[in-house]
Amino acid sequence: MASVIQAQSTSVFLQQRSKVSSLHTPTLFFSEQRRFRRACTQPMRYMKKKPIIVAAISEELDMVKIKTEEVTAKTKVRAALTVRRKHKEDIKDAIANNLEALSIMMGKNVVLELISTQLDPKTRKLMRSGEVAIKDWCEKRNRNKGEHVVYAVEFMVDPAFGEPGAVTVLNRHQREFFLESIVVEGHGVKWGPVQFACDSWIQSQKDLATKRIFFSNKPYLPSETPHGLKELREKELSDLRGDGTGVRKMSDRIYDYATYNDLGNPDKGLEFSRPALGGEKLPYPRRCRTGRPSTDTNMYAESRVEKPHPIYVPRDEAFEELKQGAFSAGRLRAVLHTLIPSLIANISADTHNFQGFHHIDNLYKEGLKLKLGLQEHLFKKIPFVQKIQESSEGMLRYDTPRILSKDKFAWLRDDEFARQTVAGINPVNIERMKVFPPMSQLDPAVYGPPESAITEEHITCHLNGLTVQQAMDEGKLFMLDYHDIYLPFVDRINAMDGRKSYGTRTIFFLGPHGTLKPIAIELGLPPSNPGGPRPSMVLTPPCDATSNWLWMLAKAHVSSNDAGVHQLVNHWLRTHAVMEPFILAAHRQLSAMHPVYKLLHPHMRYTLEINALARQSLINAEGVIEACFTPGPYCMEISAVYYRQFWRFDQESLPADLIRRGVAVEDPTMPHGLRLLIEDYPYANDGLLLWSEIQTWVDSYVSLYYPDASRVQSDTELQSWYKESVHVGHADLRNAPWWPPLSTPADLASILSTLIWLASAQHAALNFGQYPLGGYVPSRPPLLRRLLPDENTNEYAEFLADPHRFFLSAMPGVLEATKFMAVVDTLSTHSPDEEYLGEDWSKNAVMWTSDKRAVRLQREFAASVSRAEHEISKWNSDPAKRNRCGAGVLPYELLAPSSSPGVTCRGVPNSISI
């Protein structure tokens, strides 16, 4: 009987063995063989359970068959990762590479896993490929000496896996690496190559325990998210938001909000304390939270991180290597430029003035040493400075500002003073006069009667036969009005040593040739008693030598007011600071898959980093801005007062701003729907060209994804982004009635167009001319040290005796001037990795989106921006446009989109990157 059983069992086994012979799995085969032999040695036991024996063996081998078929049916999928190497590696990098090689030998690799767009049909959970490690990391890195290294890994996935929608990456190495992109493709699959634009630092597992998630470049609105990606979409946003607690590490990727409570350092002394910006008392936009502890002496002030220590921004917001190199080189130049004046200031109690205009000129010729005329005094006390001077001659010499390149003395002329208001570094404050005399909006109980001291008698003789009312009706009178923004601070400013200011108003007349000329300047001081009369001085174009020098001093005070408002309000506040909350909210609320995120992403590059650096060394207590601008420690308060009283997001688009200032009126028959009252207004002319192209591009892009209002209103991420930008990022103004709604595609397109305009063209117009157009201090002094002299005083006698020396003594001293010049030189510089408006995004190795419709529209936008640049070039050669073409007149190129690296006075980067 036992032999019969063995024969039957052998027959069954051999039949099943033949079915799995193709498996080539000896372990499985011998395991089953051992089970068979054990069965044969116990015949009586199996005699009782014969049917079960056969069934068990049959079922188990059927499972083997199923698994075999699964294995043989797997599809091979290949992923190629592009990793960017450092351009320059030092000894630390070499040591780190060796340590990394050892860790890789111990199995600490970079591990990837694909995630399907579909859920597993059986478990309804994420469908994963299984983890695969990169095995040849060191070999390829050592073999490839180029900028990029491409690694390949292979996955075996089920045919039902479908299209990969996400990739997770875990870095088990000891240090971070920069992942540019991943491309996934398979043979015989129904989907083509799937691209993942990463551009991100992958932190070591010791710094970030969780896997990084990257989504493909296919855009999805939240409601359209494939089921397999919904959970990951929510998780990624949750990780980026953080929990609002803890001190941020430099490796973190958390975006959160805080007030500007880190500008002062009360632990160093009361003079270093500054009020927090943000809150009911001083409303202000929010900045990126760092979580640093409070200072020892003020629990509401955040402790500071001083140079050279880095200040936190989310890791992917930090400057990349090329940008960091350019910025560091600029910092080095700034340090060298201000080194000798700083040393002189430290060893000498005297304030060192420029002794003549030729000393200023020598800054661009011989460098700092010859200009000072004090080198022997310095070299005797600090001999090593002579070595620095000898070895750094080129670094200590300033480039000649472009404003001097065509006409060295143009800045002295009234027409050039006026031209700067429409084609200079701050062309956004000129406004049409609609009321005469100008009226203050300040509280008369504190600041006295609101009427300006300028009367018709002051200006009528300069109006070409028109009355004041006729000139206003015909749109011929314009004004720079810095009276109300400065006057509340004037007493505090003038109480400081070496800083003097007025609240100024300047009236301009538009002549028959389309150019402006200044016809009156009002210099106002606060009343000595609240509500009393204001001591104001009105100056008109000069008629003799004495009035000419006084007129020059008055124009200098206007220029100083203008420089302050330009830097503190128009440049810093209205571009850098107001954009930061929208950027933070975009990272926190918009998935990388969201089409609006894809549109905004190029316009957010580097902004958080440059703003953090500004808090560290530019706008902080005793920083460059306070040191170089007349308001000193009150600089940021002026910025905050403007934000509270005047800033409105709905008036930040170019057309709305021009209409608000009265320099344009709506006219559907004109290009761009506007008629400019100053027809030759280079900033507005060029700006409207770019605004129109931005608006057309954004309108078309929005229409791809939002065909109707319901799509906009039902987009949870989009609505959360805008709500958080307003209610958290701009929390102090959240209840203002002027915030635009976000209900329709048109609403969305308008909001996005304004943000892109501010980040690109508006910032470029206000930033990249700072040194070329403002680097010659006498033409645009950021700081003034003397008021106009009162008659019948010794100061007036000093002025009459040597007006040239008096004028220079009112200018910034050597230290302030050279520090200012060095910093704006750095801030005016384009880095080699700059990305400009109108560049073709599809030229990148990995496409920014898989949506071919969006790619086509972006290429059309690039072509239209190129045509706009050509038009700008033509205008700069048109003699009829006297504000940009003529003898000694600089062309206006600040809104010409393209540029080479360096200080070029042109170029429109996509983002606020400097």
Side-chain angles (χ1 to χ4, degrees):
M1 180 63 69
S3 62
V4 173
I5 294 171
Q6 184 172 354
Q8 290 175 338
S9 300
T10 301
S11 175
V12 170
F13 179 78
L14 292 175
Q15 291 174 13
Q16 298 300 335
R17 177 185 173 186
S18 67
K19 294 180 181 179
V20 299
S21 61
S22 63
L23 188 60
H24 303 295
T25 52
T27 301
L28 178 62
F29 173 78
F30 289 119
S31 175
E32 295 301 328
Q33 191 177 48
R34 285 193 297 271
R35 294 182 61 186
F36 165 71
R37 287 173 178 168
R38 284 198 300 271
C40 293
T41 61
Q42 302 179 31
M44 293 308 295
R45 178 181 171 190
Y46 281 88
M47 181 80 170
K48 297 177 182 179
K49 301 180 180 179
K50 177 180 177 182
I52 299 175
I53 294 172
V54 175
I57 295 174
S58 176
E59 287 172 2
E60 289 184 11
L61 293 176
D62 281 343
M63 291 299 294
V64 172
K65 177 182 177 182
I66 292 170
K67 291 179 180 180
T68 302
E69 291 173 348
E70 287 178 355
V71 171
T72 56
K74 293 278 187 179
T75 300
K76 183 184 291 186
V77 174
R78 183 176 184 271
L81 294 79
T82 301
V83 173
R84 184 192 303 162
R85 299 166 57 107
K86 290 183 66 175
H87 286 85
K88 296 180 180 179
E89 294 190 346
D90 53 23
I91 186 64
K92 292 182 180 179
D93 295 308
I95 295 172
N97 287 340
N98 290 328
L99 293 175
E100 192 172 85
L102 290 174
S103 69
I104 290 173
M105 291 174 62
M106 299 169 62
K108 294 184 177 181
N109 302 309
V110 174
V111 179
L112 284 78
E113 187 172 41
L114 302 181
I115 310 294
S116 174
T117 56
Q118 308 169 37
L119 291 175
D120 188 306
K122 295 179 180 178
T123 65
R124 304 305 298 169
K125 294 183 178 179
L126 297 182
M127 191 180 297
R128 302 176 181 272
S129 66
E131 294 183 345
V132 175
I134 299 176
K135 301 294 187 182
D136 56 351
W137 185 275
C138 290
E139 292 87 342
K140 282 200 171 181
R141 182 191 62 202
N142 295 335
R143 189 167 61 244
N144 189 332
K145 300 302 181 182
E147 182 182 358
H148 297 93
V149 182
V150 178
Y151 300 96
V153 294
E154 292 183 350
F155 301 87
M156 299 301 295
V157 300
D158 190 275
F161 186 82
E163 180 178 338
V167 179
T168 64
V169 183
L170 183 64
N171 178 13
R172 291 175 176 162
H173 293 172
Q174 293 300 305
R175 57 177 179 165
E176 65 182 8
F177 65 89
F178 191 84
L179 179 60
E180 276 199 358
S181 63
I182 302 173
V183 178
V184 179
E185 54 187 341
H187 179 70
V189 295
K190 295 181 180 179
W191 40 270
V194 180
Q195 298 183 344
F196 298 78
C198 305
D199 290 322
S200 181
W201 289 99
I202 311 300
Q203 299 302 314
S204 170
Q205 190 176 17
K206 62 185 175 63
D207 295 316
L208 180 68
T210 58
K211 299 177 180 179
R212 286 293 309 278
I213 303 167
F214 296 100
F215 298 105
S216 74
N217 63 350
K218 191 170 184 178
Y220 296 105
L221 294 177
S223 61
E224 299 169 341
T225 310
H227 294 296
L229 303 180
K230 285 185 177 180
E231 178 184 329
L232 292 179
R233 184 171 186 151
E234 294 170 2
K235 180 183 185 305
E236 175 71 355
L237 287 175
S238 176
D239 290 345
L240 292 171
R241 286 193 287 266
D243 61 6
T245 64
V247 179
R248 297 275 65 83
K249 299 180 299 181
M250 296 305 296
S251 58
D252 286 347
R253 295 173 57 249
I254 294 175
Y255 298 78
D256 206 352
Y257 302 91
T259 59
Y260 282 75
N261 64 344
D262 63 342
L263 301 182
N265 190 352
D267 291 349
K268 289 178 64 177
L270 187 61
E271 67 272 24
F272 293 94
S273 181
R274 296 292 181 271
L277 305 184
E280 185 177 349
K281 186 176 181 181
L282 285 173
Y284 215 65
R286 298 303 188 256
R287 48 94 174 177
C288 184
R289 179 185 178 274
T290 66
R292 297 191 303 269
S294 62
T295 61
D296 294 335
T297 54
N298 185 345
M299 63 179 295
Y300 299 108
E302 186 173 276
S303 57
R304 288 185 51 76
V305 174
E306 304 291 358
K307 293 184 301 183
H309 302 292
I311 187 169
Y312 171 78
V313 292
R315 183 63 184 96
D316 289 339
E317 304 302 317
F319 290 163
E320 294 178 18
E321 191 177 1
L322 276 176
K323 175 72 172 181
Q324 185 61 53
F327 190 77
S328 298
R331 272 187 166 178
L332 175 61
R333 282 174 58 86
V335 169
L336 290 173
H337 277 143
T338 58
L339 175 63
I340 294 176
S342 297
L343 291 171
I344 290 177
N346 287 332
I347 65 175
S348 172
D350 298 332
T351 298
H352 296 282
N353 300 329
F354 291 106
Q355 300 303 307
F357 288 108
H358 64 284
H359 287 159
I360 302 174
D361 294 342
N362 282 342
L363 288 170
Y364 317 116
K365 296 177 182 178
E366 291 86 4
L368 286 167
K369 181 181 71 173
L370 295 180
K371 176 269 305 164
L372 287 171
L374 295 168
Q375 63 270 28
E376 292 182 4
H377 171 71
L378 180 64
F379 292 163
K380 287 178 181 178
K381 293 197 174 185
I382 313 179
F384 82 89
V385 174
Q386 184 166 8
K387 297 295 184 182
I388 296 175
Q389 174 72 39
E390 292 169 354
S391 61
S392 306
E393 182 74 23
M395 294 291 283
L396 293 173
R397 187 182 298 117
Y398 289 87
D399 294 327
T400 302
R402 198 177 182 203
I403 194 70
L404 302 179
S405 64
K406 296 190 75 173
D407 186 345
K408 182 178 178 180
F409 302 106
W411 68 276
L412 293 167
R413 300 197 313 264
D414 285 356
D415 64 284
E416 178 63 18
F417 174 76
R419 192 187 72 86
Q420 290 291 319
T421 67
V422 293
I425 188 55
N426 187 39
V428 299
N429 277 104
I430 189 76
E431 59 182 293
R432 179 185 179 183
M433 280 194 67
K434 298 178 180 178
V435 175
F436 191 88
M439 303 290 286
S440 171
Q441 301 301 313
L442 297 174
D443 184 358
V446 177
Y447 298 103
E451 295 84 8
S452 167
I454 302 174
T455 65
E456 292 194 13
E457 287 73 18
H458 286 120
I459 65 173
T460 300
C461 61
H462 301 286
L463 302 182
N464 290 359
L466 299 176
T467 66
V468 172
Q469 189 60 50
Q470 287 173 330
M472 284 196 298
D473 292 344
E474 294 182 19
K476 300 291 186 183
L477 287 182
F478 296 86
M479 178 171 59
L480 283 182
D481 189 352
Y482 300 129
H483 179 274
D484 286 5
I485 189 67
Y486 264 87
L487 198 69
F489 295 90
V490 164
D491 278 345
R492 285 181 281 174
I493 292 171
N494 292 346
M496 294 186 290
D497 290 336
R499 295 174 189 267
K500 296 295 179 279
S501 183
Y502 297 98
T504 67
R505 291 190 182 100
T506 308
I507 298 179
F508 299 87
F509 178 71
L510 181 65
H513 299 297
T515 57
L516 296 167
K517 66 176 181 179
I519 59 175
I521 295 174
E522 178 183 8
L523 306 176
L525 296 171
S528 54
N529 297 308
R534 290 194 310 275
S536 295
M537 182 186 309
V538 177
L539 294 95
T540 56
C543 57
D544 56 30
T546 300
S547 60
N548 183 71
W549 279 104
L550 291 173
W551 180 248
M552 281 181 60
L553 284 167
K555 289 194 297 181
H557 274 282
V558 173
S559 295
S560 181
N561 273 191
D562 187 73
V565 170
H566 161 258
Q567 196 68 264
L568 308 174
V569 174
N570 297 330
H571 179 207
W572 167 256
L573 171 67
R574 294 176 63 190
T575 62
H576 285 260
V578 301
M579 280 296 297
E580 185 157 351
F582 289 98
I583 293 171
L584 291 170
H587 286 287
R588 289 166 52 87
Q589 300 296 343
L590 296 176
S591 167
M593 291 186 280
H594 201 292
V596 169
Y597 181 90
K598 291 181 180 295
L599 175 68
L600 288 177
H601 186 255
H603 304 288
M604 304 189 290
R605 185 175 186 238
Y606 292 153
T607 303
L608 298 186
E609 169 83 342
I610 196 63
N611 284 5
L613 292 172
R615 299 201 317 274
Q616 188 177 46
S617 57
L618 291 182
I619 64 173
N620 59 302
E622 301 285 294
V624 171
I625 299 300
E626 288 192 4
C628 297
F629 287 82
T630 303
Y634 308 110
C635 281
M636 295 310 293
E637 283 190 62
I638 290 177
S639 180
V641 168
Y642 184 94
Y643 178 72
R644 177 179 59 201
Q645 295 181 353
F646 303 108
W647 185 81
R648 291 178 50 162
F649 181 76
D650 64 326
Q651 294 182 345
E652 289 301 295
S653 72
L654 178 60
D657 178 59
L658 295 173
I659 292 170
R660 176 184 63 84
R661 291 190 280 122
V663 294
V665 293
E666 294 187 64
D667 186 344
T669 67
M670 298 294 291
H672 320 298
L674 291 180
R675 179 172 59 85
L676 294 173
L677 273 65
I678 305 173
E679 292 184 13
D680 183 15
Y681 187 171
Y683 160 78
N685 299 136
D686 299 3
L688 285 171
L689 273 182
L690 297 186
W691 168 266
S692 179
E693 302 305 341
I694 291 171
Q695 188 177 47
T696 300
W697 149 236
V698 174
D699 284 346
S700 302
Y701 184 85
V702 166
S703 68
L704 295 179
Y705 306 101
Y706 299 96
D708 52 50
S710 64
R711 280 290 190 97
V712 174
Q713 295 166 17
S714 63
D715 187 333
T716 54
E717 287 184 4
L718 183 70
Q719 294 295 331
S720 295
W721 163 69
Y722 188 56
K723 181 178 180 180
E724 184 172 287
S725 298
V726 174
H727 288 262
V728 182
H730 289 275
D732 304 325
L733 301 181
R734 64 187 180 277
N735 295 321
W738 39 255
W739 283 104
L742 181 54
S743 301
T744 67
D747 294 340
L748 175 59
S750 176
I751 292 167
L752 295 176
S753 296
T754 298
L755 292 175
I756 292 172
W757 162 258
L758 292 176
S760 58
Q762 180 76 334
H763 177 260
L766 296 167
N767 183 77
F768 293 102
Q770 289 190 83
Y771 186 78
L773 303 184
Y776 185 64
V777 170
S779 71
R780 187 179 172 78
L783 181 152
L784 285 176
R785 296 182 291 153
R786 303 189 79 159
L787 299 174
L788 269 65
D790 289 335
E791 293 189 38
N792 303 318
T793 64
N794 291 335
E795 188 179 42
Y796 193 77
E798 176 191 346
F799 161 71
L800 291 177
D802 195 340
H804 173 261
R805 183 178 294 274
F806 187 95
F807 182 86
L808 288 175
S809 70
M811 295 291 109
V814 170
L815 177 60
E816 294 86 3
T818 52
K819 181 182 289 189
F820 169 77
M821 292 165 62
V823 170
V824 296
D825 180 43
T826 300
L827 298 181
S828 302
T829 302
H830 290 294
S831 67
D833 69 339
E834 200 75 88
E835 297 175 358
Y836 295 95
L837 190 73
E839 289 183 338
D840 187 350
W841 296 352
S842 65
K843 291 182 179 179
N844 297 330
V846 170
M847 296 290 286
W848 63 283
T849 179
S850 66
D851 190 335
K852 294 181 180 179
R853 304 170 302 166
V855 171
R856 176 180 55 80
L857 289 175
Q858 200 280 327
R859 285 174 177 164
E860 292 175 359
F861 172 63
S864 68
V865 170
S866 179
R867 289 192 294 269
E869 182 165 2
H870 180 69
E871 189 71 12
I872 290 170
S873 180
K874 286 172 54 180
W875 287 344
N876 281 325
S877 302
D878 184 353
K881 298 185 179 300
R882 302 180 184 218
N883 286 321
R884 65 196 309 161
C885 181
V889 176
L890 289 177
Y892 185 76
E893 296 181 308
L894 285 170
L895 289 175
S898 67
S899 176
S900 57
V903 180
T904 64
C905 202
R906 61 175 292 139
V908 180
N910 281 325
S911 62
I912 300 168
S913 57
I914 190 67

